[in-house]
Amino acid sequence: GGGRMAGGEIQAAKAGAVARGKAPEPPATGLAKAAKVARKVFASTSRAAWITGTAFLVLIVPLIIEMDREQQLTDMETQQMGVLTNPALPSQSAPAK
């Protein structure tokens, strides 16, 4: 024969596909198409979330930590300057005799 397969050949081809571990694909329905699109959207969304989260951890978190350290240093310097510029009055630091 030509390029057409007889009914027995089709069954044999399906059996061979199942034996190789490939199940014959059912015809695509509207629900199956929607599920396939949903999986693709979920995969791309999760990929974007991974990239965004990783970039945040690598770039933004160290910046926040450094800004916090700088603020603590500034607060400590301000506190030390306050102690040096406003010494306690002599009557408060030593009891009068």
Side-chain angles (χ1 to χ4, degrees):
R4 298 183 61 189
M5 293 195 301
E9 291 174 340
I10 293 173
Q11 292 298 329
K14 285 184 180 178
V18 171
R20 289 188 301 268
K22 295 182 181 177
E25 292 190 24
T29 62
L31 185 60
K33 288 180 184 178
K36 187 174 183 179
V37 169
R39 279 193 297 270
K40 286 183 179 182
V41 168
F42 177 75
S44 63
T45 303
S46 63
R47 190 175 305 123
W50 171 260
I51 292 169
T52 303
T54 304
F56 179 78
L57 288 175
V58 170
L59 301 173
I60 305 300
V61 170
L63 178 64
I64 291 171
I65 292 170
E66 188 58 34
M67 290 172 59
D68 186 48
R69 285 182 184 168
E70 185 68 28
Q71 183 63 41
Q72 287 178 355
L73 183 62
T74 304
D75 291 345
M76 188 172 61
E77 287 174 353
T78 304
Q79 183 182 13
Q80 287 176 353
M81 288 302 291
V83 169
L84 292 174
T85 57
N86 298 327
L89 297 174
S91 62
Q92 293 175 349
S93 62
K97 288 188 177 181

